[in-house]
Amino acid sequence: MLGKNNDDAVDEMNDVLAQVATNTESNKNAGNCILYECANTILSIDCESGLRVLAINILGPFLLNKDNNTRYVALTMLAKVVATDLSAVQRHRATIVDCLKDPDVSIRRRALELLYSLVNKQNVKALAREMLNYLVVADPEERKNLCDRTADVIQLHAPNVEWHIEVLVSMLQISGNFASEDIVASLVSLVGTNETTTLYGTHKLYWACKEDLSQLALNHCAAWCFGEFGHLLQSPCPETVGASQSGMIVEESDVYDLLSKMMRRHSSTDTTRSYVVNASFKLTQRLKDPIIIEKFIKILKKFSSNVHLELQARSCEYLNVLRPDLVSSAVREATFKPMPLPDVVTLRKKRSRLRRSNDSDDSGSDDDSDSDSEDESSTKSS
């Protein structure tokens, strides 16, 4: 308190704080208590940069402490200074990543929040892998927010589009039932970036769904891309998709079988069936085998009497478009044109606004719990 807004007091404190931080032993709770208060003081006043690095280095060993409260307090303090001392906090990245494996869910959450702040273009691949690993073990109620936050961080720092597609597909394979439609739209937009990414992304989605159809968001994204780009699956699969799939060609019958399974799954929703209906309609003009085309038309006929009014209306309209005696060729040609890609920038801004709004609503209770944890830690250390 004496050092705040008082340069003279800070000048007098610098040497004393450096001596205390350097000479205090950390093998006892009393020593840890003094080191914590010393680091807290240094980070609360406008002191020399070298001293701030020393304070952050004090907190590093705290992350290895067996006491949960000590680790939690260290993560909380590092989160407060990461904006001003990013490079110093980066030195403890490996230790922070290890905290994601901690049995205590509070420590895992705090470590993850800190990792989001540490991501840059140099370490995004390594940290994205850790975030996906954490997504595997995260509680179900956490996963939606985790998917959104991870998608935002990767969007900002992805080194190339193909890697970005790979990470989002992996995310949907892990937690596609919790991912938002915004993430589906982002992945669709990435797949449609150019010819190379379209071929890569469509094959990547096909083989991901071939392996597992249990994740809704993955199915929705795949169905959209099959409808627009399904004809590209007859081109050899790029080597970057995977060594086992390299050079493989997907038959038109395989595309039908996969969409049919996707539609019939017990977990499929009306949204899933809507994606399949749209894909079926588009593929009647993008595929060549008349037998397979007729099978897709049968899907449309099946849904033309569905109890869900939107599905029924859309299927009837699609069937009418396919009749040359009812619809002119010009209208039909315009209808089958590729759909415009989603505007990812607008979607990301919208998601950021919603998250900030949610964070502001929860900030009061979070701040109280954080301060309680700090007080409890200080009491236990003393």
Side-chain angles (χ1 to χ4, degrees):
M1 293 178 66
L2 290 172
K4 285 185 179 179
N5 302 319
N6 191 331
D7 293 339
D8 293 335
V10 171
D11 290 338
E12 293 184 36
M13 292 179 189
N14 281 335
D15 291 340
V16 178
L17 290 170
Q19 290 177 16
V20 173
T22 304
N23 298 325
T24 303
E25 296 182 3
S26 61
N27 56 356
K28 295 182 180 179
N29 278 347
N32 282 334
C33 183
I34 293 170
L35 287 171
Y36 163 73
E37 294 296 350
C38 185
N40 194 22
T41 303
I42 292 171
L43 297 174
S44 300
I45 62 177
D46 188 18
C47 61
E48 299 172 354
S49 60
L51 204 56
R52 292 179 67 85
V53 172
L54 178 61
I56 293 171
N57 289 340
I58 288 173
L59 297 173
F62 279 21
L63 297 174
L64 301 172
N65 198 293
K66 295 180 180 179
D67 179 63
N68 285 357
N69 285 306
T70 303
R71 291 202 301 280
Y72 185 87
V73 166
L75 289 168
T76 301
M77 291 188 67
L78 288 173
K80 290 179 179 178
V81 301
V82 68
T84 55
D85 298 276
L86 178 60
S87 59
V89 179
Q90 283 278 16
R91 297 193 188 101
H92 304 284
R93 192 179 74 210
T95 311
I96 296 168
V97 168
D98 286 340
C99 290
L100 290 177
K101 304 166 187 172
D102 196 281
D104 191 315
V105 64
S106 298
I107 291 174
R108 294 202 306 268
R109 288 175 181 171
R110 185 60 74 182
L112 188 66
E113 287 296 322
L114 186 52
L115 278 181
Y116 285 136
S117 303
L118 296 179
V119 177
N120 56 37
K121 291 191 181 296
Q122 286 69 44
N123 60 28
V124 63
K125 289 187 176 182
L127 292 185
R129 186 165 55 249
E130 297 298 339
M131 292 174 190
L132 292 178
N133 288 340
Y134 178 70
L135 192 57
V136 174
V137 300
D139 295 332
E141 60 270 18
E142 291 183 271
R143 291 190 175 185
K144 183 180 185 304
N145 184 54
L146 281 174
C147 289
D148 286 343
R149 294 292 303 276
T150 303
D152 282 346
V153 170
I154 293 169
Q155 174 77 32
L156 291 173
H157 303 289
N160 57 68
V161 177
E162 285 192 4
W163 179 85
H164 195 173
I165 292 172
E166 180 184 1
V167 173
L168 289 185
V169 170
S170 298
M171 180 193 297
L172 296 185
Q173 284 181 293
I174 296 168
S175 289
N177 292 333
F178 300 90
S180 66
E181 287 297 314
D182 288 352
I183 295 178
V184 174
S186 296
L187 183 50
V188 166
S189 181
L190 288 169
V191 172
T193 301
N194 56 53
E195 292 182 5
T196 302
T197 59
T198 299
L199 179 62
Y200 170 84
T202 307
H203 271 282
K204 189 76 178 177
L205 287 165
Y206 174 83
W207 294 106
C209 288
K210 187 78 172 175
E211 182 179 331
D212 182 18
L213 278 172
S214 64
Q215 303 297 324
L216 286 177
L218 179 66
N219 295 349
H220 296 171
C221 184
W224 197 103
C225 291
F226 293 165
E228 296 299 322
F229 317 121
H231 57 287
L232 296 178
L233 290 170
Q234 281 78 65
S235 301
C237 179
E239 185 178 353
T240 48
V241 170
S244 58
Q245 294 89 20
S246 178
M248 295 184 68
I249 293 174
V250 179
E251 299 295 336
E252 293 184 359
S253 58
D254 294 330
V255 179
Y256 169 79
D257 290 341
L258 188 62
L259 284 171
S260 183
K261 289 179 183 176
M262 190 184 295
M263 176 185 66
R264 295 197 308 268
R265 280 190 63 86
H266 67 279
S267 59
S268 67
T269 64
D270 286 332
T271 302
T272 309
R273 289 183 276 274
S274 297
Y275 275 103
V276 173
V277 165
N278 281 331
S280 299
F281 172 64
K282 288 297 186 79
L283 287 171
T284 59
Q285 300 299 306
R286 285 162 169 66
L287 301 183
K288 299 177 181 178
D289 189 336
I291 297 176
I292 302 302
I293 291 173
E294 186 58 36
K295 287 184 176 181
F296 280 120
I297 293 176
K298 285 182 179 179
I299 291 179
L300 298 178
K301 290 179 179 178
K302 174 183 177 181
F303 283 104
S304 65
S305 58
N306 193 273
V307 294
H308 188 274
L309 292 180
E310 178 69 20
L311 277 170
Q312 181 189 127
R314 196 68 64 223
S315 298
C316 291
E317 290 165 358
Y318 288 164
L319 287 170
N320 286 338
V321 170
L322 293 175
R323 291 180 58 181
D325 57 319
L326 292 179
V327 177
S328 67
S329 59
V331 172
R332 189 180 302 107
E333 183 180 344
T335 306
F336 283 110
K337 283 184 178 179
M339 288 188 283
L341 296 174
D343 187 346
V344 178
V345 175
T346 302
L347 289 172
R348 190 168 71 245
K349 288 180 178 178
K350 176 184 175 183
R351 191 163 62 240
S352 298
R353 284 197 301 270
L354 288 173
R355 187 173 64 248
R356 283 197 299 270
S357 176
N358 293 334
D359 290 344
S360 63
D361 291 341
D362 298 337
S363 60
S365 58
D366 289 346
D367 290 344
D368 291 342
S369 62
D370 291 351
S371 62
D372 290 344
S373 299
E374 289 193 35
D375 292 342
E376 184 180 356
S377 174
S378 300
T379 303
K380 285 190 176 184
S381 297
S382 301

